[in-house]
Amino acid sequence: MKTFDYLVLGSGLAGLFCALKVAAHGRVAVITKKQRAESNTNYAQGGIAAVTSKEDSFEMHVRDTLAAGAGLCREDIVRSIVQEGPARIAELIEYGMRFTEREIPDSNGARELDLGREGGHSKRRILHAKDVTGREIERALLAATEAEPNITILEDHVAIDVILSHKIGMSGPPRCVGAYVLDRQTGEVETFAAPVVVLATGGCGKVYLYTTNPDIATGDGLAIAYRAGASIANMEFIQFHPTCLYHPQAKSFLISEAVRGEGAVLKNAQGVEFMDAQHPLKSLAPRDIVARAIDSEMKRSGADCVFLDITHKPARFTMNRFPNIYQKCLEFGLDITKEPIPVVPAAHYQCGGVVTTADGATEISGLYAIGEVACTGLHGANRLASNSLLEALVYAHRAAQHAQTHPQPPISGPIPGWQSGQAQNADELVVVSHNWDEIRRLLWDYVGIVRSTKRLLRAQKRIANLQEEIQEYYWDFVVTSDLLELRNIAIVAELIITSALRRHESRGLHYTLDYPNPDPACAQRDTVLQRTAA
Ligand code: SIN
């Protein structure tokens, strides 16, 4: 048994920021599935939304967030996160984050933060590091984390489940006391004991066939929390990013919304700017509207993609502002300064998640959820672009503080080790890969941008069968990371489908042909699911 004061699952912005904050008070283990930088954060291009300019205000940021959230945001939460943003950004800069700056005109060379614009924002307020903001965040926070003697980062470690005191016969009120973790290198399952466990495992984009997310985004923390009995809310609200590069060799490459923020325009194959008829903000309308318009344009015309055109901007500007996108597209033979970029929508962000308090605490004592895995009330039915890294920063800080002010008793007594029973080595790995593919295609085809009750019911039936098969396989065979991820995405799929079937209206990111309008009676009503006791 390995004992720590804090166990943080995930090494993106939320996990690392929280680890750094609690490290002053005890020993911290950061568990990460692959290499330490491999997180959703690392791929974030756009940036962090925060009010830092005189032309902007908290009120405007709150208003934009509420408008995107389509009646489901919790206004008190939105307000407090927006107001706390600048203080957390200042700390991030202290940890070494370098945001892009620009020279202030007529100021003798004085500089200020360069602010980008994205869909749904009424002002320029996105702090960024060119178009590789997430990579720069990871660089800065990993350097700070590695310099902190109280933090141990364990790569190639996959959390299986959290350990609950009442399930192992430990005395005292029920609480979370650690986690079972698979070491991918040795194949051994290790027991980690800790009175505070923080889920910072990111989202679940890999549940869909096409996604902007990296391979690690399999909803692990969400599935772990659900199995442990925590409430999960609003999983029907999956955000599809409108512009993922469409190219046979490109896997999950995002074309940042900041490109539209700088004037790029969506066109169909005939060069028609089809967003003009859809929304006053045209190509810079909120994401749900743009993604649906692209979906409908592709279905109407039978085309495989639409196009994003920034060729009217000076080439030097594009290459300087979007060096990563420019270079990556060039590798695929596409010069974005001269030709439009073929794009399609792809699953991008999970707006729902594990229900938390304003401090990131879940209903299970000692268990916190922060970042994309959590549902705090900020995003409502549709996340405003670049609000997620802001939320991750604020909640990492709050969870760290709450864990200090509400200390858990130390863990008394040993925790039983992982029992693998009669499990054998898996005989046919094809079962795992087949079920993975089936779930991802099923979700893309039946639970995508435009839904219907008939398709959702069909998907529900298939997922139930797959779950049964996966469950048998799980008990019969020794756990591997592929099997663990499969078990997790199957649960995530079930939660998305069940939530979508429960919402009898269209709102924000959830659009269904059977209930095409919002129902005022459903405003402010979350879809909450909780596992019935096993
Ligand atoms: C983007 O760069 O378009 C992604 C930003 C976000 O999802 O918030």
Side-chain angles (χ1 to χ4, degrees):
M1 182 166 112
K2 296 184 172 171
T3 305
F4 288 86
D5 298 301
Y6 304 92
L7 183 62
V8 177
L9 308 181
S11 59
L13 169 61
L16 295 180
F17 203 61
C18 186
L20 282 163
K21 296 219 154 210
V22 293
H25 310 283
R27 291 179 59 238
V28 190
V30 175
I31 301 290
T32 189
K33 279 206 294 193
K34 291 193 173 167
Q35 299 78 39
R36 56 194 66 198
E38 191 60 9
S39 60
N40 258 355
T41 299
N42 201 36
Y43 294 85
Q45 295 181 357
I48 310 185
V51 177
T52 58
S53 133
K54 283 202 254 348
E55 274 112 68
D56 198 2
S57 71
F58 290 145
E59 205 47 49
M60 282 190 255
H61 191 175
V62 168
R63 212 168 47 217
D64 293 345
T65 303
L66 295 178
L72 267 198
C73 299
R74 279 190 50 192
E75 188 169 340
D76 55 336
I77 294 291
V78 174
R79 225 164 254 293
S80 73
I81 293 176
V82 163
Q83 287 171 2
E84 200 177 320
R88 301 288 82 81
I89 295 282
E91 287 173 353
L92 186 60
I93 293 172
E94 267 172 45
Y95 280 126
M97 170 72 194
R98 291 189 293 248
F99 287 108
T100 298
E101 294 178 343
R102 65 174 203 135
E103 211 168 289
I104 306 171
D106 309 319
S107 71
N108 286 331
R111 297 180 74 72
E112 63 182 2
L113 291 169
D114 183 50
L115 300 178
R117 187 162 176 210
E118 290 179 2
H121 287 275
S122 56
K123 287 282 168 196
R124 284 188 170 267
R125 64 167 72 98
I126 317 298
L127 286 83
H128 63 97
K130 300 230 172 186
D131 60 350
V132 284
T133 310
R135 204 189 291 170
E136 170 56 14
I137 291 173
E138 284 290 313
R139 182 206 60 74
L141 291 186
L142 279 173
T145 311
E146 283 158 7
E148 173 53 66
N150 255 357
I151 302 178
T152 306
I153 302 184
L154 292 144
E155 297 180 323
D156 279 323
H157 280 62
V158 188
I160 302 176
D161 270 315
V162 289
I163 304 168
L164 302 174
S165 59
H166 55 287
K167 294 274 166 97
I168 55 166
M170 204 177 257
S171 58
R175 62 179 174 128
C176 179
V177 290
Y180 292 115
V181 176
L182 170 70
D183 178 340
R184 287 176 6 130
Q185 301 290 347
T186 63
E188 296 296 319
V189 177
E190 298 171 344
T191 305
F192 282 77
V196 174
V197 177
V198 181
L199 300 173
T201 47
C204 66
K206 290 298 282 189
V207 75
Y208 282 91
L209 188 57
Y210 301 110
T211 176
T212 61
N213 293 181
D215 289 348
I216 46 102
T218 50
D220 302 339
L222 186 92
I224 287 172
Y226 180 67
R227 283 193 294 267
S231 294
I232 309 292
N234 294 348
M235 284 303 293
E236 65 273 42
F237 300 113
I238 297 293
Q239 187 168 67
F240 290 82
H241 197 291
T243 57
C244 188
L245 177 64
Y246 177 71
H247 186 280
Q249 267 96 52
K251 189 183 165 205
S252 320
F253 187 67
L254 179 71
I255 306 295
S256 175
E257 195 155 296
V259 179
R260 276 177 287 136
E262 297 298 347
V265 174
L266 283 161
K267 296 178 175 173
N268 64 17
Q270 287 69 46
V272 175
E273 297 181 17
F274 59 89
M275 282 308 297
D276 290 8
Q278 302 290 333
H279 194 273
L281 286 170
K282 302 179 181 175
S283 289
L284 210 51
R287 267 182 209 174
D288 55 331
I289 293 163
V290 181
R292 257 195 315 275
I294 296 176
D295 186 68
S296 136
E297 181 63 29
M298 285 166 58
K299 287 201 171 108
R300 186 196 61 73
S301 64
D304 289 333
C305 64
V306 295
F307 296 88
L308 184 63
D309 193 351
I310 192 163
T311 55
H312 54 285
K313 292 292 242 189
R316 189 133 35 108
F317 167 81
T318 304
M319 288 154 70
N320 179 50
R321 175 65 178 86
F322 303 111
N324 180 48
I325 295 173
Y326 171 75
Q327 196 50 45
K328 195 78 178 175
C329 289
L330 210 54
E331 284 166 27
F332 293 118
L334 185 80
D335 182 346
I336 66 169
T337 66
K338 297 199 174 79
E339 51 198 321
I341 313 167
V343 290
V344 285
H348 183 61
Y349 191 86
Q350 158 197 315
C351 292
V354 185
V355 175
T356 72
T357 65
D359 294 303
T362 70
E363 293 146 311
I364 299 168
S365 192
L367 183 67
Y368 293 82
I370 55 176
E372 189 171 348
V373 67
C375 182
T376 65
L378 173 69
H379 306 312
N382 182 22
R383 177 184 65 107
L384 184 67
S386 288
N387 262 357
S388 41
L389 293 176
L390 172 69
E391 182 193 50
L393 272 177
V394 169
Y395 273 74
H397 170 80
R398 290 185 185 179
Q401 278 206 325
H402 189 265
Q404 297 319 308
T405 50
H406 298 74
Q408 295 288 334
I411 291 164
S412 54
I415 294 177
W418 175 256
Q419 300 295 322
S420 54
Q422 303 301 312
Q424 319 260 314
N425 282 324
D427 54 352
E428 292 195 320
L429 291 176
V430 69
V431 175
V432 176
S433 58
H434 174 89
N435 287 352
W436 248 99
D437 293 346
E438 190 171 339
I439 293 174
R440 298 185 66 208
R441 182 164 288 283
L442 183 65
L443 269 275
W444 184 258
D445 289 343
Y446 294 167
V447 198
I449 297 172
V450 175
R451 299 162 178 176
S452 74
T453 304
K454 194 165 146 194
R455 283 188 227 144
L456 290 173
L457 286 171
R458 212 173 263 165
Q460 191 175 49
K461 215 187 272 175
R462 303 236 174 129
I463 283 292
N465 287 343
L466 284 163
Q467 294 255 41
E468 218 170 281
E469 199 172 305
I470 293 165
Q471 213 42 29
E472 273 171 31
Y473 203 88
Y474 180 77
W475 291 117
D476 289 348
F477 297 109
V478 169
V479 290
T480 62
S481 77
D482 284 349
L483 180 55
L484 292 171
E485 288 181 337
L486 173 66
R487 183 170 77 129
N488 291 339
I489 66 160
I491 287 179
V492 171
E494 176 201 323
L495 293 171
I496 296 173
I497 296 164
T498 311
S499 306
L501 277 166
R502 290 226 183 144
R503 187 165 288 278
H504 292 175
E505 62 163 351
S506 289
R507 180 180 297 276
L509 298 161
H510 174 67
Y511 183 81
T512 165
L513 297 170
D514 295 284
Y515 306 96
N517 298 307
D519 176 352
C522 298
Q524 294 298 328
R525 192 180 297 163
D526 291 333
T527 311
V528 182
L529 303 176
Q530 193 171 23
R531 187 180 180 218
T532 42

